[in-house]
């Protein structure tokens, strides 16, 4: 089996594999010279496995910077992971991942993230759940309106969302997991179906500074009797509580147009803004996954509180067929905001796998949560020290590549 980067000549068969895997209900292939609309908003580099001259599987790699605890690190987003049906369950994807992991490591990628078709499958490759959506469907009339005299909302008509960029950039510096969005991706971003069109509104303060935005669309009632016509909020971003209230007031003023609104905000403090806590629907939806590619490189990129003074020894387990350079016993010494890493032969304070380590470092799970089910081995004191280094945080990834 051969593993390599895809060429221009491979693009026709790659389109066919992707179409069969992800758009099979069309029940037809497009002619080779047909230019299909881009499936993702980000630029992608394809890698393939080849057997006897036939491409059997592919994985697309996206290069971006991702926030891990306040530091933006080189991250590989994986997309279009697909295998031709006649080659499935023969290890083609797994072996292609082995090649890609080595490629990522050599090219300086520190972490990797993806949106899974199957969580258990990607867990075997060292990925762990990194975030989840809290999707609320509530009555517009249930939103409590409060005065926001220092905020003004106005509609914006630019399809490239340029005024949203700096507001989102500020948010991306605050939430672990968010990526730096290049300007070119905004128009075609998949986040909550932006490609299905909609409307954008900007919130300003009295000095004319843009401090928040909301992007929404009106969705018709579908055949499901449980569903209703509603406003779907693609993204709701604000930099302060008054802007949050102003944007919620704005949604409440749509009560004559739509009885319900659906939103999946970046934070979950919404009950105090509602007349009734009884929403029509309150869903928790598993979202992205993350994996550490180079643990030592990641640790040197992170920032630590200057008051933190601790030392802990970790035994990290990463399969030899994946990222074996992580498979080590290593001492972490943190002092005055800096970290020192030393290879160790001492008995470790903590033993854990790369999946669990990835979830703890990004902030999705606290060490105590995974220790409770035996996914981390260590004394209570060691687990507490580990939690001081990596406390649980709000995490999110919403670009849907």
């Amino acid at each position: 089996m051969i593993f390599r980067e895809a060429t221009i000549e491979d693009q026709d068969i790659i389109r066919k594999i992707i179409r069969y895997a992800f758009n099979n209900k069309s029940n037809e292939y497009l002619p080779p010279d047909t230019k299909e609309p881009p499936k993702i908003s980000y630029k992608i580099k394809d890698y393939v496995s080849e057997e006897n001259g036939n491409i059997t599987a592919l994985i697309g790699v996206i290069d971006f910077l991702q926030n891990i605890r306040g530091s933006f690190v080189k991250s590989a987003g994986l997309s279009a992971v697909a295998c031709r049906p006649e080659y499935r369950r023969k290890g083609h994807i797994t072996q292609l991942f082995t090649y890609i992991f080595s490629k990522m490591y050599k090219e300086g990628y520190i972490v990797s993230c993806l949106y899974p078709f199957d969580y258990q499958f990607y867990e075997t490759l060292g990925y762990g759940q990194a975030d989840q959506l809290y999707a609320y469907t509530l009555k517009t009339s249930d939103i409590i309106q409060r005065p926001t005299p220092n905020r003004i909302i106005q509609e914006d008509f630019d399809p490239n969302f340029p005024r949203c960029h700096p507001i989102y950039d500020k948010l991306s510096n605050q939430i672990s997991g968010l990526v730096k969005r290049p300007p070119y991706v905004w128009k075609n971003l998949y986040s909550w179906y932006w490609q299905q069109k909609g409307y954008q509104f900007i919130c300003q303060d009295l000095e004319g500074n843009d401090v928040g935005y909301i992007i929404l669309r009106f969705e018709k009632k579908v055949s499901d009797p449980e569903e209703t016509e509603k406003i779907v909020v693609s993204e709701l971003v604000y930099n302060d509580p008054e802007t949050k209230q102003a944007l919620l007031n704005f949604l409440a003023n749509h009560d004559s147009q739509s009885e319900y609104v659906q939103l999946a905000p970046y934070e979950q403090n919404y009950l105090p803004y509602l007349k009734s806590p009884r929403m029509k629907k309150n869903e928790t939806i598993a979202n992205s996954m993350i994996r550490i590619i180079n643990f030592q490189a990641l640790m040197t990129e992170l920032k630590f509180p200057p008051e933190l003074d601790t030392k802990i020894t970790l035994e990290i387990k990463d399969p030899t067929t994946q990222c074996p350079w992580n498979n080590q016993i290593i001492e972490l010494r943190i002092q005055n905001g800096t970290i020192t890493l030393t290879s160790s032969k001492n008995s470790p304070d903590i033993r854990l796998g790369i999946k669990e380590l990835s979830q703890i470092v990004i902030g999705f799970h606290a060490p105590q949560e995974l220790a409770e089910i035996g996914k981390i081995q260590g004394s209570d004191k060691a687990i507490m020290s580990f939690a001081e280094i990596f406390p649980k945080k709000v995490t999110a990834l919403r670009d849907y590549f």
Side-chain angles (χ1 to χ4, degrees), residues 53-247:
N54 295 316
I55 291 177
T56 64
L58 68 102
I59 298 174
V61 177
I62 302 166
D63 184 333
F64 46 54
L65 297 176
Q66 186 171 16
N67 182 332
I68 306 294
R69 293 190 174 272
S71 297
F72 281 94
V73 304
K74 186 176 174 67
S75 177
L78 300 190
S79 181
V81 178
C83 183
R84 296 172 72 172
E86 61 268 38
Y87 295 99
R88 291 173 188 166
R89 293 182 174 84
K90 297 180 180 180
H92 289 252
I93 286 288
T94 301
Q95 292 179 67
L96 183 54
F97 260 100
T98 299
Y99 169 78
I100 294 251
F101 285 144
S102 178
K103 193 83 172 172
M104 289 180 191
Y105 180 67
K106 292 173 182 176
E107 294 184 0
Y109 288 98
I110 294 177
V111 298
S112 173
C113 58
L114 52 81
Y115 292 98
F117 72 90
D118 184 286
Y119 284 87
Q120 289 185 327
F121 172 76
Y122 286 108
E123 284 178 346
T124 66
L125 295 167
Y127 289 85
Q129 184 181 350
D131 78 310
Q132 55 193 11
L133 302 177
Y134 297 92
Y136 308 134
T137 302
L138 51 95
K139 287 187 174 182
T140 49
S141 59
D142 269 349
I143 298 172
I144 299 172
Q145 297 206 48
R146 298 181 177 93
T148 54
N150 300 313
R151 295 293 179 267
I152 300 169
I153 293 178
Q154 58 181 215
E155 189 170 7
D156 192 82
F157 302 94
D158 193 315
N160 294 302
F161 307 96
R163 293 173 66 184
C164 299
H165 300 180
I167 305 172
Y168 171 84
D169 282 346
K170 187 172 181 178
L171 179 73
S172 71
N173 281 279
Q174 300 168 356
I175 298 181
S176 193
L178 291 184
V179 301
K180 286 285 186 186
R181 286 180 185 163
Y184 75 85
V185 309
W186 279 76
K187 187 174 182 178
N188 295 314
L189 201 62
Y190 270 93
S191 295
W192 283 87
Y193 309 105
W194 286 21
Q195 290 186 334
Q196 293 185 13
K197 303 180 181 179
Y199 305 91
Q200 62 175 309
F201 296 85
I202 308 294
C203 185
Q204 290 185 315
D205 62 21
L206 296 184
E207 286 73 44
N209 301 306
D210 293 343
V211 292
Y213 66 84
I214 185 170
I215 300 171
L216 58 85
R217 73 179 190 277
F218 292 84
E219 191 171 275
K220 296 179 181 179
K221 186 175 182 179
V222 293
S223 57
D224 185 347
E226 294 297 317
E227 289 295 330
T228 60
E229 291 187 0
K230 57 181 179 283
I231 296 171
V232 175
V233 176
S234 300
E235 194 156 72
L236 179 66
V237 175
Y238 39 82
N239 298 151
D240 58 82
E242 187 172 6
T243 302
K244 176 181 180 179
Q245 181 67 66
L247 291 170

Side-chain angles (χ1 to χ4, degrees), residues 211-363:
V211 292
Y213 66 84
I214 185 170
I215 300 171
L216 58 85
R217 73 179 190 277
F218 292 84
E219 191 171 275
K220 296 179 181 179
K221 186 175 182 179
V222 293
S223 57
D224 185 347
E226 294 297 317
E227 289 295 330
T228 60
E229 291 187 0
K230 57 181 179 283
I231 296 171
V232 175
V233 176
S234 300
E235 194 156 72
L236 179 66
V237 175
Y238 39 82
N239 298 151
D240 58 82
E242 187 172 6
T243 302
K244 176 181 180 179
Q245 181 67 66
L247 291 170
L248 288 174
N249 290 349
F250 173 77
L251 286 173
N253 286 334
H254 286 77
D255 56 348
S256 61
Q257 289 178 275
S258 180
E259 184 179 4
Y260 291 97
V261 60
Q262 181 188 70
L263 62 157
Y266 286 98
E267 52 92 9
Q268 287 78 56
N269 184 30
Y270 276 79
L271 292 183
Y273 293 84
L274 303 178
K275 297 174 184 177
S276 170
R278 291 181 174 173
M279 303 180 189
K280 179 175 179 60
K281 188 181 292 186
N282 187 341
E283 296 179 281
T284 301
I285 306 169
N287 203 37
S288 68
M289 301 184 82
I290 194 165
R291 189 200 204 282
I292 294 173
I293 300 299
N294 189 334
F295 176 72
Q296 291 204 46
L298 177 57
M299 290 302 99
T300 60
E301 294 276 351
L302 299 188
K303 304 167 187 174
F304 298 93
E307 67 274 10
L308 186 61
D309 188 346
T310 190
K311 180 175 67 174
I312 195 165
T313 303
L314 305 179
E315 181 178 1
I316 305 168
K317 298 178 182 178
D318 200 328
T320 56
T321 57
Q322 296 176 17
C323 301
W325 46 86
N326 291 324
N327 202 3
Q328 58 184 313
I329 298 176
I330 189 166
E331 179 186 279
L332 281 61
R333 180 74 172 95
I334 302 170
Q335 195 172 35
N336 299 323
T338 60
I339 186 169
T340 304
L341 305 171
T342 309
S343 180
S344 176
K345 294 183 179 180
N346 296 330
S347 178
D349 302 308
I350 300 282
R351 292 182 174 88
L352 76 171
I354 195 66
K355 175 179 80 75
E356 290 74 25
L357 182 59
S358 301
Q359 293 179 300
I360 288 169
V361 171
I362 195 173

Side-chain angles (χ1 to χ4, degrees), residues 5-24:
E5 184 178 340
T7 65
I8 295 176
E9 290 73 23
D10 297 324
Q11 292 308 308
D12 179 46
I13 187 63
I14 285 174
R15 282 196 298 268
K16 285 182 167 64
I17 293 172
I18 290 174
R19 191 169 179 83
Y20 191 90
F22 304 110
N23 193 22
N24 48 58

